[in-house]
Amino acid sequence: MMRSCRQRYFCSALLFLITTFMYCLFYGQIIPVRELTKNYEIPYEKVFAINTPESLGQTENAIQDTDDIIIFDSITENEKNLQQKLADDETASHQIEGNTRSQQSGLSNYVMTNEGNESETELQQKRLPNALIIGIRKGGTRALLDSLARHPSVRACSRELHFFDEQDNYKRGLEWYRNQMPKSLKNEITIEKTPAYYVTQDAPRLIYNMSPDVKLLVIVRDPTVRAISDYAQIFDKYQGKIRPFEEYVTKNGTVLKYSKIVQTGVYITHLKNWLKYFPLEQILFVNGEELIKNPVPELKLVEKFLGLKPFIDEKLFYFNETKGFPCLVPPTQTNGEPTKSGCLSKDKGRPHPHVNEDVVTLLRDYYKPLNEDFYRTVSRNFQWP
């Protein structure tokens, strides 16, 4: 009898193991990732942390002194989620300008391309994006999104969703994410932009799980200037009541390599993380400096990359004397509403605080070999100092 019980127990255990194996075999690829479960097995910091050489297994230049690991998110003692708040502030500042421009241009474009074919409206639905602007922070992502939103075949999500870099958003699921998108036709491009994706360690895997074929856009600019611009936004928000820029990027005459404001500009480190999941041909790097000074050639490259018919040209822009750079021509007045400005919000193009020239030189020397590695990898020389 004891032997019979042991046999039944063994058979039950074997059946359980076989059932579990078959379930994982057939459904393993579509089970929500572990971080979506009620009790997270992977800590937030591990899943959504910023890429560093250490996190990518490149520890030869790692800083061992934890005092040197300064994260830019904690620039003030009482603002743990400062980067998210700044992104929310940026989104809010564009809700009237950017959102209205996108909706107006989208509406006028839709009427232009589908007039007299009302049956096509039945095919409009909310779809997961087939293109993403994944970075880089302070690179010109808003300018790129607003410009692309003028194209008749592009439907742009007007706000940053932070779906693949914020755990609280990601656990809402892909259906929630899809429902945040504008309605589109099957042959149109649906696009969302969140600059934090590019530097988030697990974003490539999560995005790949959503769609291995999604096209990725990254706007890059001189990483030293980008870092100063990043600081300038914080400086402006807190009316200068923060430590000097130099203290966030250097210590004892050396660059703080693990400071988030510095690490964000190490484009090659982040790119190697994306190349684990996506081929280089699926990622387009846009020149942030040229996008501001001479936007049309860069935007034509984007059109070609996304497979869009040529539409964007010089007629879409005018030079704004106040801003000192080209702005979009205001969209056509729609439904009797007043015409909106085609320029970005007033916080764009803000003056930078003075930075010690020795610190600028230190940063440029630090980034130079990294930039050259990046140029070789993407086969484009951005000619940063």
Side-chain angles (χ1 to χ4, degrees):
M1 182 174 180
M2 182 66 71
R3 182 177 179 182
S4 177
C5 288
R6 284 199 300 269
Q7 288 176 336
R8 285 199 298 271
Y9 176 80
F10 176 77
C11 291
S12 298
L14 182 61
L15 180 62
F16 174 78
L17 290 173
I18 293 173
T19 303
T20 302
F21 173 77
M22 295 299 293
Y23 184 87
C24 293
L25 179 64
F26 287 102
Y27 297 101
Q29 297 302 313
I30 60 174
I31 296 174
V33 293
R34 288 191 296 172
E35 54 268 34
L36 296 186
T37 59
K38 185 174 181 180
N39 297 316
Y40 297 105
E41 297 181 41
I42 306 176
Y44 172 89
E45 293 79 5
K46 295 296 184 184
V47 177
F48 293 103
I50 185 172
N51 293 319
T52 64
E54 184 179 47
S55 69
L56 299 180
Q58 302 160 11
T59 58
E60 60 272 15
N61 294 319
I63 297 176
Q64 300 302 320
D65 184 356
T66 55
D67 291 336
D68 287 344
I69 305 177
I70 297 179
I71 302 300
F72 199 52
D73 287 14
S74 57
I75 193 167
T76 59
E77 290 75 8
N78 60 346
E79 291 286 356
K80 293 183 179 180
N81 297 315
L82 183 58
Q83 296 283 8
Q84 175 65 54
K85 290 179 182 295
L86 287 168
D88 291 342
D89 288 346
E90 179 180 353
T91 297
S93 72
H94 288 279
Q95 285 301 311
I96 296 177
E97 288 182 87
N99 195 18
T100 303
R101 287 199 306 274
S102 298
Q103 289 176 347
Q104 287 183 342
S105 60
L107 176 60
S108 61
N109 288 334
Y110 180 76
V111 172
M112 177 182 69
T113 56
N114 297 285
E115 189 173 5
N117 191 6
E118 295 181 1
S119 62
E120 286 200 18
T121 60
E122 298 176 3
L123 302 177
Q124 280 194 321
Q125 57 182 281
K126 294 186 175 183
R127 308 170 194 273
L128 289 171
N130 40 18
L132 288 171
I133 300 174
I134 58 175
I136 190 82
R137 175 176 163 80
K138 308 310 297 177
T141 57
R142 174 59 61 175
L144 178 60
L145 184 74
D146 284 359
S147 298
L148 287 176
R150 296 294 183 91
H151 196 288
S153 298
V154 172
R155 297 294 172 261
C157 181
S158 63
R159 65 191 184 94
E160 296 177 9
L161 296 179
H162 290 271
F163 184 68
F164 298 105
D165 68 299
E166 292 289 340
Q167 192 174 42
D168 288 343
N169 290 333
Y170 189 70
K171 69 182 180 182
R172 295 177 178 182
L174 282 175
E175 185 64 16
W176 174 87
Y177 183 56
R178 183 179 66 82
N179 282 327
Q180 310 311 305
M181 301 299 152
K183 288 184 177 180
S184 65
L185 298 172
K186 189 175 182 180
N187 63 343
E188 293 175 332
I189 297 291
T190 300
I191 189 167
E192 187 251 327
K193 78 107 173 170
T194 298
Y197 293 161
Y198 187 62
V199 301
T200 300
Q201 184 177 333
D202 211 36
R205 180 180 69 85
L206 302 181
I207 291 173
Y208 181 87
N209 286 346
M210 175 191 74
S211 172
D213 300 320
V214 67
K215 294 192 174 181
L216 307 169
L217 294 161
V218 188
I219 304 91
V220 291
R221 62 190 294 202
D222 179 347
T224 299
V225 176
R226 191 224 66 84
I228 297 171
S229 180
D230 205 346
Y231 174 83
Q233 184 174 351
I234 314 288
F235 185 91
D236 186 57
K237 179 177 176 64
Y238 288 93
Q239 301 177 350
K241 297 178 181 178
I242 59 175
R243 289 182 285 150
F245 171 79
E246 291 82 354
E247 294 186 24
Y248 293 101
V249 299
T250 62
K251 183 177 180 180
N252 299 327
T254 60
V255 173
L256 288 169
K257 299 175 183 179
Y258 278 2
S259 166
K260 185 171 183 179
I261 193 174
V262 173
Q263 191 63 37
T264 296
V266 184
Y267 305 135
I268 186 62
T269 295
H270 309 303
L271 176 57
K272 288 177 180 178
N273 194 39
W274 287 88
L275 293 179
K276 296 175 183 176
Y277 295 89
F278 297 95
L280 192 59
E281 295 75 20
Q282 219 164 306
I283 309 172
L284 180 68
F285 289 90
V286 179
N287 188 322
E289 284 86 5
E290 289 299 312
L291 185 66
I292 297 301
K293 294 186 300 182
N294 188 23
V296 174
E298 289 298 313
L299 291 169
K300 285 187 176 296
L301 291 175
V302 175
E303 281 183 325
K304 183 177 180 180
F305 174 73
L306 294 178
L308 295 167
K309 293 182 178 180
F311 172 81
I312 297 172
D313 58 23
E314 286 77 7
K315 295 178 182 178
L316 203 60
F317 296 88
Y318 74 98
F319 186 82
N320 185 288
E321 297 288 347
T322 303
K323 290 283 188 180
F325 50 76
C327 291
L328 286 164
V329 172
T332 305
Q333 184 171 323
T334 306
N335 298 329
E337 296 182 4
T339 301
K340 303 295 180 181
S341 167
C343 265
L344 297 175
S345 60
K346 63 181 180 180
D347 63 335
K348 299 301 181 183
R350 63 168 63 85
H352 291 175
H354 174 75
V355 175
N356 188 300
E357 285 298 324
D358 291 340
V359 170
V360 173
T361 300
L362 275 174
L363 284 173
R364 293 204 186 284
D365 289 344
Y366 169 68
Y367 283 125
K368 186 174 180 60
L370 299 165
N371 291 340
E372 290 173 351
D373 191 7
F374 178 67
Y375 299 160
R376 287 190 296 269
T377 303
V378 302
S379 299
R380 185 175 183 182
N381 190 335
F382 293 93
Q383 299 181 335
W384 298 314

